[in-house]
Amino acid sequence: MDGFVYSAAAPRLISARRNELRGKMDFDQAGRHRHQVRTPSHEGRGVSTLGDLETRLAQRLDPLETPPALAAGGDHDFDTGVQSLTPAAVLVPLVRRPEGWTLLLTKRADTMPTHAGQISFPGGRIQPNDADAAAAAVRETVEETGMPASFIRPIGGYGAYRTGTGYIISPVVAYIEPGFALAPDPREVDEVFETPLDFLLNPLNHQRHQREFGGKMRSYYAITHGDRYIWGATGGLIRALYERLFGEAAR
């Protein structure tokens, strides 16, 4: 299938040419802006064709009204040492395309003060006027990508993710109705793009990397798709979704 990229500089749909999965992983890819668009590869599927995805989501996601529990540090958590964590929410947007399910992601603007150039889910802090995590995730998605809220249908969550920068993130899974048009906010987002979900939820594509943060070596999940390097909280949240849906605990 072709890849879809919505550019903040030119908010239009781009049909990209095919590109085979690269095996090389490089930290520099995380912050480097690429102008050429690569097509998602479907090599190495590990979770069939996700034909029962909707059933699994209905059975295994938490109800949206269930508040996330702040659990002790686990495999997906950095050992932060932070006593007070800031609540945040991200949208995990699933799009049903004729070729298969995709996951919509953003590339943060290179001018952002934190995590510049990195790939992320749309989202941000939960504000006092947000009714809940789902409302915050939808609001942030509309603000960052320009997607009309009418195309977004939140369906559930899967716990909480604690970051090394002092946030506790509530992931909100949502169905995205095809046919939307996007206008990314160039102050926050360079690109909005879609990647095949069966590739992202294939455990063969999940690698454990290490990097030094604050004088300590820390490990995290990373996924390389074409020339895109997905890591940190985004990689961890994708891995956590795989584990919630397919019941395999990370080691």
Side-chain angles (χ1 to χ4, degrees):
M1 64 178 286
D2 284 340
F4 302 119
V5 175
Y6 303 84
S7 169
R12 58 189 176 87
L13 186 64
I14 302 173
S15 179
R17 64 183 177 86
R18 291 195 174 276
N19 181 54
E20 297 299 325
L21 171 67
R22 296 183 185 179
K24 182 179 179 181
M25 295 191 176
D26 185 345
F27 287 127
D28 291 341
Q29 291 177 344
R32 184 177 301 169
H33 178 67
R34 304 278 187 168
H35 293 286
Q36 60 267 47
V37 178
R38 303 296 185 186
T39 298
S41 167
H42 284 262
E43 289 185 356
R45 296 182 183 186
V47 289
S48 69
T49 58
L50 300 177
D52 60 349
L53 178 66
E54 290 175 281
T55 299
R56 286 181 180 270
L57 290 167
Q59 292 175 343
R60 303 197 179 190
L61 291 182
D62 300 327
L64 288 174
E65 62 269 18
T66 302
L70 179 56
D75 190 69
H76 298 301
D77 301 325
F78 287 124
D79 179 12
T80 65
V82 177
Q83 298 299 316
S84 179
L85 298 177
T86 301
V90 298
L91 198 75
V92 181
L94 307 180
V95 186
R96 189 204 297 271
R97 296 290 183 186
E99 303 88 345
W101 290 95
T102 67
L103 184 65
L104 187 143
L105 295 163
T106 71
K107 178 181 178 294
R108 290 170 61 86
D110 291 331
T111 55
M112 290 291 287
T114 59
H115 307 293
Q118 293 184 12
I119 292 173
S120 66
F121 290 110
R125 294 187 183 188
I126 299 178
Q127 301 296 339
N129 58 339
D130 291 322
D132 51 25
V138 171
R139 174 183 55 77
E140 288 282 348
T141 300
V142 172
E143 292 175 359
E144 292 179 13
T145 70
M147 177 181 292
S150 59
F151 285 84
I152 305 171
R153 180 163 65 92
I155 59 171
Y158 53 102
Y161 186 99
R162 189 177 66 179
T163 75
T165 52
Y167 288 90
I168 179 166
I169 302 174
S170 297
V172 177
V173 180
Y175 289 139
I176 306 299
E177 184 69 23
F180 55 84
L182 299 182
D185 183 347
R187 298 170 299 179
E188 297 189 58
V189 176
D190 275 350
E191 292 178 345
V192 183
F193 61 95
E194 296 177 35
T195 300
L197 188 62
D198 60 356
F199 181 94
L200 294 174
L201 294 187
N202 185 339
L204 298 178
N205 298 324
H206 302 169
Q207 296 204 11
R208 293 288 275 174
H209 287 187
Q210 286 190 324
R211 198 175 188 183
E212 184 175 330
F213 293 92
K216 294 182 180 180
M217 292 301 296
R218 305 185 188 274
S219 62
Y220 55 89
Y221 281 104
I223 304 168
T224 296
H225 184 268
D227 54 7
R228 299 190 187 280
Y229 184 74
I230 304 168
W231 68 295
T234 307
L237 285 165
I238 291 172
R239 174 68 184 195
L241 179 61
Y242 160 74
E243 291 177 3
R244 173 62 69 95
L245 296 181
F246 296 94
E248 177 179 322
R251 291 291 182 264

